[in-house]
């Protein structure tokens, strides 16, 4: 690429101070709030089952329910953190916190290529964007996949600049393999952007060099190896991935992820504007002043816009939309914004620039503290587990959620097996191993006690199913959403109690 020119390193002190500050910010208060439903509890439950079973190929939510909505790398990372640091909310969120800092660090070599007068700018911008910082404190696949796609993107930038092209191409393919092992096909959207960039520029030699060598086989082994092993062990898994997790998520509203056309605007416009605070709104407010930013027709800017624009277009037209789907776009957004602000920051005094960065960090920490203090009760798994224990009046070994979304966080807080059952509201989202009817769960039990949390409107049907199955249900409490029942074998043939 004609304008990708490296320069001598600048801001060496900032190059290590900024990552240290970002690491402190990412770790601070990371264990203060409980696990949030539904995602955090589900990933943690899967990691705990891996450790209990000593099985890192299958993904299970309890002792008999396989769960394959995402590949295993996030579960592996959480399990490794538990082994190293013990079971805690802090350890569960640690992999994403480290991935956030590592992603910011990767933007330093990108800055040396694309913001040579202030190479730390992309790192500083990314580290103080609202969405990446907040996402680092949540347990999802998105922060980890952003790390891998950023590694791939930076490797591609170096490939384009002619910097050790063979090694850069191999690193890019390795990174995309890890991304695919983290989130599957959506992780490859930036790869499409890079290939399209080369094709539209008719850079056939560059395209050939990218796919030649050992990079593509390395991607296949890293990205597809687990899928092949898991598909051999779990019948129908490959078909489930292709039909449900790829086709249904992309082309239908089956998963109820904001499939209406206007939701692309409702979700993604605020995600970009608010998630990229304070930098994107500041740039939009200031406008393009003379000498304030490089011209948009520069080759690096066109590449960055392709890296942002093509994946964004796919997310807009797809029928499954959530804010964090856009998180992998924020590293190229940070580079793009850094190039806009670089001329102004170069003219600033060092103290003023440091003050702006420190102010942004303090603002982000205040938001993180506020979220921890104002944790919504309807999402707080720690509070849900305490309500359940209070209703049971004893240690809980097994919980069945009937016609309501399970609190998978209970697995973490109470050590109980958590199951999902139904009596009147059969779940309609595709899953590899769908929830069983309550009658089927009870039919496999020889005795013992379990606790059921039942949607209020389903209580009459629940009590009928329990009696027919030969069990006794004793109501032990309720909350705003559910009624709690202790279910045990009806030795005397008694029916349900209140």
């Amino acid at each position: 690429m004609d304008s990708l020119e490296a320069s001598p390193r600048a801001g060496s002190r900032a190059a290590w101070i900024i990552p240290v500050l970002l690491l402190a910010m990412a770790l601070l208060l990371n264990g203060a709030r409980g696990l949030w439903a539904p995602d955090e509890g589900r990933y943690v439950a899967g990691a705990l089952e891996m450790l209990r079973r000593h099985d890192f190929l299958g993904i299970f939510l309890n002792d008999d329910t396989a769960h394959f909505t995402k590949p295993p790398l996030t579960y592996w990372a959480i399990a490794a953190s538990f082994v190293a640091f013990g079971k805690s909310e802090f350890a569960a969120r640690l992999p994403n916190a480290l991935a956030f800092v590592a992603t910011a660090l990767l933007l330093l070599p990108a800055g040396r290529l694309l913001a040579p007068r202030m190479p730390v700018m992309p790192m500083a911008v990314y580290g103080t964007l609202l969405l990446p910082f907040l996402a680092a404190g949540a347990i999802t696949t998105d922060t980890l996949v952003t790390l891998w796609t950023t590694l791939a993107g930076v490797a591609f930038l170096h490939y384009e600049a002619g910097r050790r092209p063979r090694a850069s191409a191999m690193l890019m393919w390795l990174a995309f393999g890890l991304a695919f092992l983290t989130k599957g096909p959506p992780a490859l959207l930036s790869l499409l952007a890079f290939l399209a960039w080369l094709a539209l520029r008719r850079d056939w030699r560059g395209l050939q060099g990218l796919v030649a060598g050992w990079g593509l086989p390395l991607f296949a082994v890293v990205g597809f190896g687990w899928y092949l092993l898991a598909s051999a062990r779990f019948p129908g898994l490959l078909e489930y991935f292709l039909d449900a997790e790829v086709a249904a998520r992309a082309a239908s509203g089956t998963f109820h992820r904001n499939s209406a056309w206007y939701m692309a605007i409702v979700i993604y416009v605020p995600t970009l504007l608010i998630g990229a605070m304070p930098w994107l709104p500041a740039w939009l407010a200031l406008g393009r002043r003379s000498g304030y930013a490089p011209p948009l027709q520069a080759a690096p800017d066109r590449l960055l816009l392709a890296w942002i624009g093509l994946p964004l277009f796919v997310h807009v037209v797809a029928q499954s939309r959530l804010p964090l789907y856009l998180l992998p776009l924020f590293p190229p957004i940070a580079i793009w914004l850094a190039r806009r602000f670089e001329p102004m920051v170069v003219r600033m005094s060092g103290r003023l620039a440091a003050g702006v960065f420190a102010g942004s960090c303090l603002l982000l920490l205040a938001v993180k503290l506020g979220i921890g203090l104002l944790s919504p009760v309807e999402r707080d798994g720690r509070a849900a587990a305490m309500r359940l224990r209070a209703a049971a009046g004893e240690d809980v070994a097994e919980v069945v959620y009937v016609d309501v979304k399970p609190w998978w966080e209970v697995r973490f807080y109470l050590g109980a097996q958590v199951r999902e059952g139904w009596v009147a509201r059969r779940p309609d989202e595709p899953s590899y191993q769908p929830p069983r009817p309550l009658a089927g769960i009870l039919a496999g039990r020889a005795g013992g006690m379990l606790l059921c949390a039942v949607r209020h409107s389903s209580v009459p049907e629940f009590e009928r199913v329990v009696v027919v199955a030969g069990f006794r249900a004793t109501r032990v409490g309720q909350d705003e959403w559910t009624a709690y029942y202790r279910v045990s074998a009806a030795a005397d043939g008694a029916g349900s109690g209140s």
Side-chain angles (χ1 to χ4, degrees):
M1 187 185 297
D2 54 342
S3 57
L4 290 183
E5 296 292 341
S7 73
R9 295 184 180 182
S12 57
R13 180 186 296 178
W16 67 264
I17 291 178
I18 291 174
V20 170
L21 288 175
L22 293 181
L23 180 62
M25 291 168 56
L27 297 181
L28 191 63
L29 304 173
N30 233 21
R33 64 172 176 83
L35 299 178
W36 276 7
D39 291 332
E40 292 197 312
R42 191 162 50 232
Y43 288 116
V44 168
L48 290 174
E49 279 298 308
M50 283 182 172
L51 294 174
R52 186 181 72 87
R53 293 165 170 265
H54 303 287
D55 176 2
F56 297 92
L57 181 64
I59 303 172
F60 291 84
L61 293 176
N62 50 48
D63 54 17
D64 65 358
T65 304
H67 179 74
F68 289 104
T69 59
K70 293 293 184 294
L73 193 56
T74 302
Y75 301 94
W76 291 345
I78 297 170
S81 184
F82 284 160
V83 170
F85 303 103
K87 192 182 79 170
S88 67
E89 293 97 337
F90 181 89
R93 298 189 180 107
L94 181 61
N96 274 4
L98 297 179
F100 163 72
V101 178
T103 302
L105 272 171
L106 285 171
L107 297 185
L108 181 59
R112 288 170 182 155
L113 285 174
L114 301 185
R117 290 185 293 172
M118 189 63 67
V120 299
M121 272 295 292
M123 177 172 59
V125 170
Y126 182 80
T128 51
L129 291 176
L130 184 62
L131 184 67
F133 177 71
L134 294 182
I139 305 169
T140 69
T141 61
D142 301 285
T143 298
L144 275 175
V145 81
T146 299
L147 169 62
W148 306 131
T149 58
T150 303
L151 177 59
V154 174
F156 182 75
L157 291 177
H158 281 74
Y159 176 83
E160 273 284 270
R163 303 304 172 87
R164 303 182 65 186
R166 289 186 181 179
S168 296
M170 183 169 289
L171 182 59
M172 185 200 78
W173 287 113
L174 172 62
F176 276 125
L178 292 168
F180 196 79
L181 193 58
T182 303
K183 199 169 181 177
L188 303 183
L189 292 178
S190 52
L191 174 61
L192 295 180
F194 301 152
L195 297 177
W197 167 259
L198 293 173
L200 290 174
R201 295 174 65 243
R202 299 184 179 182
D203 185 358
W204 309 122
R205 179 176 296 180
L207 193 60
Q208 182 181 5
L210 198 65
V211 299
W214 292 101
L216 200 54
L218 180 62
F219 163 76
V221 171
V222 174
F224 290 95
W226 172 83
Y227 288 88
L228 296 177
L229 292 173
S231 296
R233 175 175 163 186
F234 297 93
L237 180 59
L238 187 58
E239 292 80 359
Y240 166 75
F241 272 127
L242 295 175
D243 292 343
E245 296 300 327
V246 178
R249 283 189 184 273
S252 76
T254 305
F255 283 89
H256 311 291
R257 300 294 190 271
N258 306 300
S259 60
W261 66 268
Y262 57 85
M263 294 306 294
I265 300 172
V266 172
I267 291 176
Y268 290 150
V269 171
T271 297
L272 290 170
L273 291 177
I274 299 175
M277 290 178 63
W279 296 95
L280 180 59
W283 181 75
L284 293 174
L286 292 170
R288 290 187 64 222
R289 299 179 178 177
S290 176
Y292 178 61
L296 286 176
Q297 65 267 25
D301 285 311
R302 295 201 304 271
L303 172 54
L304 290 171
L305 290 176
W307 186 357
I308 299 165
L310 192 148
L312 178 60
F313 173 77
V314 174
H315 285 304
V316 167
V317 300
Q319 300 299 296
S320 184
R321 306 181 182 102
L322 290 174
L324 284 179
Y325 289 177
L326 298 190
L327 188 60
L329 306 186
F330 277 71
I333 288 173
I335 300 172
W336 196 85
L337 287 169
R339 285 173 57 79
R340 321 263 72 76
F341 279 97
E342 184 189 31
M344 182 178 68
V345 175
V346 167
R347 294 194 294 267
M348 281 184 181
S349 69
R351 288 186 178 180
L352 179 58
V356 171
F357 177 75
S360 300
C361 292
L362 290 174
L363 179 61
L364 291 175
L365 285 175
V367 173
K368 186 175 184 178
L369 176 61
I371 290 174
L373 293 175
L374 302 175
S375 178
V377 65
E378 66 272 12
R379 296 191 64 185
D380 191 341
R382 183 192 293 163
M386 295 306 103
R387 291 196 302 269
L388 192 147
R389 172 173 280 171
E394 59 184 89
D395 289 339
V396 181
E398 187 173 355
V399 184
V400 180
Y401 286 88
V402 181
D403 290 350
V404 291
K405 288 289 186 182
W407 288 91
W408 299 110
E409 295 76 11
V410 168
R411 174 71 175 84
F412 176 82
Y413 289 108
L414 302 185
Q417 288 286 313
V418 178
R419 309 187 194 284
E420 182 177 6
W422 59 273
V423 294
R425 298 169 61 92
R426 182 172 185 169
D428 59 353
E429 285 191 4
S431 60
Y432 174 73
Q433 196 168 336
R436 290 187 292 165
L438 179 64
I441 295 174
L442 295 176
R445 296 183 62 85
M449 190 276 290
L450 62 84
L451 196 68
C452 290
V454 187
R455 179 186 290 268
H456 286 300
S457 61
S458 299
V459 163
E461 182 64 13
F462 163 79
E463 292 183 344
R464 185 193 69 80
V465 169
V466 169
V467 171
V468 170
F471 286 78
R472 178 175 183 172
T474 303
R475 189 160 181 159
V476 293
Q478 67 177 35
D479 59 30
E480 181 180 352
W481 304 279
T482 54
Y484 298 114
Y485 283 84
R486 184 184 290 113
V487 176
S488 56
D492 58 357
S496 62
S498 59

